[in-house]
Amino acid sequence: MTGPTSLMTGDAYLESLRDGRQVFLDGERVKDVTRHPAFRNSALSVARLYDALHDPATAGTLTAVDEATGIRTHRFFKPSRSAAELVEAREAIATWARMSYGFLGRTPEYKASFMAGLGVNAGYYGPYAANATAWYREFVSRALYLNHVIINPPVDRKRAIHDMEDVFVRAVRETDAGVVVSGAKMLATGSAITNAGFVAPVGSAVLAPGKAEAFALVFFVRMDNPGVKLVCRTPYATQHAGSPFDAPLSSRFDENDSVLLLDEALIPWEDVLVHRDVERATGFYAASGFPNLYNFQSGTRLSVKLDLMAGLLARGTRANGTDGFRGVQAAVGEIITMRDMVWALTTAMAHDPEPGSGGTVVPRLEHASALRMYNAQVWDRVHEIFETILGGAPLAVPSSARDLANPELRPLIDRFYRGSDTSALERIKLLKLAWDAIGTEFGGRHELYERNYSGNGEQVRLDALRWATRRGGLARCEDLVQQCLDDYDLDGWRRGPWRDVALTD
Ligand SMILES: Cc1cc2nc3c(=O)[nH]c(=O)nc-3n(C[C@H](O)[C@H](O)[C@H](O)COP(=O)(O)OP(=O)(O)OC[C@H]3O[C@@H](n4cnc5c(N)ncnc54)[C@H](O)[C@@H]3O)c2cc1C
């Protein structure tokens, strides 16, 4: 390996979180997220990712030198300049994803989907171009962990954004030091254990020129900003504090979703990318390649998650002794095609890219759009299959690991809970993993996540239509219709072989 590295180690990452950030849970301010049971194990899971950047066994797969800066970084944190580099970036994403079995959705490379293009595309940000360059350098050199919040809170959706001064994020005033902002954004996933947030209007936001300038803001906010409060949802990691045996996923991969509250937060000028510019405040999505790239990251991560689910269903049916039934086999086959489909889409995205800024390439938007749509649907079907094929088995398990430690119960458990192909202990362990994936509160949150994280279902479809209209894809489909219509008219065939065939018996 060549190239200097200042990439965070696991310990450096954990230390970076001890910065006095204001995280609220159960009516109290969390003193140290790295020690609090609601966040500790998730922070450790992320720390493990950082350690893998330095581990000789994985560093080669995960990192490469960024051509533009000479800095060694995660392969997806820098832009790719060829299809081959996108393939390598995908392997780096998958390597990290396998460390959480795909159950950490917002690992640090999620936001690399935007940040990787920030250096080559700095000019887009006009007066703030130097900020883009500086943030890119800091991002790649440390592999910063950023959260991203773009959705306004669910209130008064019927009203214009510029009428929502009391709740939506806006510039309150400007000072020599920066912009003072107030307002809330929903759901800052993982934010309690990130270094900074990226705050912007959602791409579909309608920002009226002459009225919505105060809302036309894109900026970074460091998590120790005294004007920032994170109000967390109910944590899942603490619900099964007894043993990982009972909740092997929620006990270590719960990325708490918080509402980000900005209360007169001063955002230094060097952390601003767009200010009072209604064009750039949403135009940056298309200009940055973010939709092309975040779907690449999400699809790769979901592919790994589907690998786990395919294996889990196969083993679960064997344990239940249903694996010989034709319908059950068909269901396992269906899950396999679902993981094959998502992997195949990421393969297309890597091997058939389109030009990005400054000599870079990004996955083709049409592939990204198809994957975004499919990803949002596939998890519902996984739930349906698991609930149909495993039936009530995931609940036919003792309440906790402690039951297996009870000497009075254990011989009975060993006898009555045995699997068809395995011991009672192994069967219970397997089914508790399945239930955590689909049925616990953590599992339910994953269903909500996969369906919504990329936008509401209508917006996903509307964006597909908008992109196909803008890029000519829909016109090509309509041209094909015209070709078909032009084959014939009222007088019969206008062209083609059919014209010469005599209509006689
Ligand atoms: C687990 C989880 C994690 C998340 N993490 C993040 C994150 O890290 N960062 C982030 O920014 N967001 C995050 N989100 C938010 C996510 O992006 C939104 O939930 C998603 O975009 C849908 O928006 P919404 O929830 O506001 O639903 P809505 O947009 O309100 O959609 C709900 C329904 O209302 C309809 N609707 C809403 N507005 C209109 C309108 N103007 N016209 C017509 N119909 C309308 C929609 O068609 C839809 O059927 C997360 C969400 C979840 C569930």
Side-chain angles (χ1 to χ4, degrees), residues 106 148-151 157 186-189 257 445 448-449 452-453 455-456 458:
R106 296 294 169 91
H148 125 123
V149 269
I150 59 175
I151 303 294
R157 288 273 164 87
M186 79 178 252
L187 292 174
T189 293
D257 312 287
R445 181 262 178 203
L448 195 64
Y449 180 78
N452 280 292
Y453 76 87
N456 78 51
E458 284 183 358

Side-chain angles (χ1 to χ4, degrees), residues 68 79 81 113-126 128-133 136 273 280 283-290 356-360 362:
R81 291 187 154 75
S113 310
F114 170 75
M115 298 298 288
L118 197 54
V120 287
N121 200 24
Y124 178 82
Y125 299 94
Y128 304 103
N131 297 349
T133 305
Y136 175 74
L273 286 182
R280 287 193 180 108
F284 80 86
Y285 287 97
S288 66
F290 176 61
S357 301
T360 67
V362 293

